[in-house]
Amino acid sequence: MINASHLTKIYKTDAIETTALSDVSFHVDKGEFVAIMGPSGSGKSTLMHILGALDIPTSGSYILDGQDVGKLKDDDLADIRNRKIGFVFQAFNLLPRTTAIRNVMLPMIYAGVAAEKREETAKAMLTRVGLGNRLYHTSNQLSGGQQQRVAIARALVMNPAILLADEPTGNIASAQAEEVMAIFRRLNDDGHTIVMITHEPDIAIHSKRIITVKDGKIIADKKNRQNRVKLQEIKEDG
Ligand SMILES: Nc1ncnc2c1ncn2[C@@H]1O[C@H](COP(=O)(O)OP(=O)(O)OP(=O)(O)O)[C@@H](O)[C@H]1O
Ligand SMILES: [Mg+2]
């Protein structure tokens, strides 16, 4: 699914060069649930941007679902992002004053999916994350945890090869964070491949494998044997 080989990323500003990633190599197979951990400034978001085809490495290669992302042009990168990658960000990144269902339909609008099919798929995805009774609430009428669940539904409607999440629980209270992790685990049980960045051990514990980065390098890559902690039910709100 993911084949990252000798990835290096050097940021150049006027004054200094920063090596944010240094010779990072790893594979992620279909169906894995990987947490990427590490201290602030260790290169986690830089890695996520490369894995998400939002940025390209200074050197090294990145193959996603059989495609060499480093060799693609901007238009093709945008297409890969829309079709193969589902993003979940710390700050949700939903459109404000826009309904949950419209936020979830947007990727399908860009991809030219027929109107009826868009609506049906968006409703089904929102129901799957426990928001079947919040379809027409706007983003600002939803709690943080609910907004993140809308973002997860939006990330999944194009049936991406991989779900990428950068600190998905960073802006929400811990009870709601557990709900979001319950959704991730259920999605993973259903076969979705997930790569999640987090600096919180309580969140990483839900993954099946933990990669630790420090100073732009992988310093550990281990199976997570604690991952089968109790899974809570996903209930409809309301
Ligand atoms: N656009 C940029 N230009 C210059 N330097 C950058 C840029 N983005 C990140 N850096 C530097 O690269 C290093 C890695 O940053 P990165 O954002 O990947 O860290 P992180 O592990 O995600 O940290 P955090 O946990 O604080 O989010 C840092 O030293 C940072 O200052
Ligand atoms: Mg970061």
Side-chain angles (χ1 to χ4, degrees):
M1 187 59 57
I2 280 180
N3 190 354
S5 180
H6 304 291
L7 293 178
T8 293
K9 179 72 183 182
I10 300 169
Y11 291 113
K12 291 194 174 93
T13 57
D14 294 347
I16 50 165
E17 273 190 10
T18 307
T19 304
L21 285 181
S22 172
D23 198 23
V24 166
S25 300
F26 63 99
H27 296 260
V28 176
D29 288 329
K30 188 167 164 44
E32 284 202 78
F33 181 2
V34 183
I36 295 178
M37 299 197 73
S40 180
S42 57
K44 303 184 295 298
S45 293
T46 300
L47 181 58
M48 162 101 173
H49 288 146
I50 293 171
L51 297 181
L54 294 163
D55 201 357
I56 52 165
T58 308
S59 63
S61 83
Y62 168 39
I63 294 168
L64 171 65
D65 202 18
Q67 252 175 321
D68 191 338
V69 177
K71 295 216 165 81
L72 297 175
K73 302 259 187 311
D74 283 354
D75 281 358
D76 296 326
L77 281 176
D79 194 58
I80 287 261
R81 283 197 296 271
N82 197 33
R83 288 177 192 280
K84 290 202 191 277
I85 304 165
F87 290 100
V88 176
F89 298 98
Q90 177 169 358
F92 321 136
N93 296 17
L94 300 176
L95 294 182
R97 294 180 300 280
T98 301
T99 59
I101 190 163
R102 178 141 181 102
N103 269 289
V104 174
M105 286 192 298
L106 277 179
M108 293 185 280
I109 293 174
Y110 298 140
V113 176
E116 207 169 295
K117 168 96 172 137
R118 287 199 301 254
E119 191 167 334
E120 187 189 318
T121 308
K123 278 184 183 163
M125 273 322 307
L126 282 164
T127 303
R128 202 164 162 201
V129 298
L131 292 174
N133 55 2
R134 291 288 188 279
L135 300 177
Y136 300 100
H137 279 56
T138 59
S139 307
N140 47 302
Q141 294 168 338
L142 295 170
S143 73
Q146 289 170 337
Q147 288 183 59
Q148 195 59 301
R149 284 187 277 153
V150 174
I152 294 167
R154 179 186 57 186
L156 292 170
V157 286
M158 294 298 293
N159 196 23
I162 182 159
L163 183 64
L164 283 181
D166 193 354
E167 300 281 0
T169 59
N171 280 3
I172 53 187
S174 60
Q176 300 216 313
E178 285 296 308
E179 267 175 31
V180 166
M181 284 305 103
I183 290 170
F184 273 31
R185 282 176 50 177
R186 211 178 50 174
L187 292 169
N188 180 242
D189 286 344
D190 290 347
H192 286 277
T193 309
I194 302 174
V195 176
M196 167 179 81
I197 289 172
T198 182
H199 64 270
E200 296 176 75
D202 286 356
I203 295 301
I205 203 169
H206 292 282
S207 71
K208 289 179 182 161
R209 171 181 168 195
I210 299 178
I211 294 177
T212 309
V213 293
K214 196 181 170 205
D215 298 332
K217 292 190 177 70
I218 293 180
I219 57 162
D221 185 346
K222 292 186 182 140
K223 254 205 168 103
N224 177 18
R225 296 185 196 287
Q226 293 172 288
N227 101 299
R228 288 294 126 177
V229 291
K230 196 170 101 264
L231 225 186
Q232 85 181 48
E233 289 264 321
I234 301 156
K235 293 191 223 75
E236 193 105 310
D237 290 321

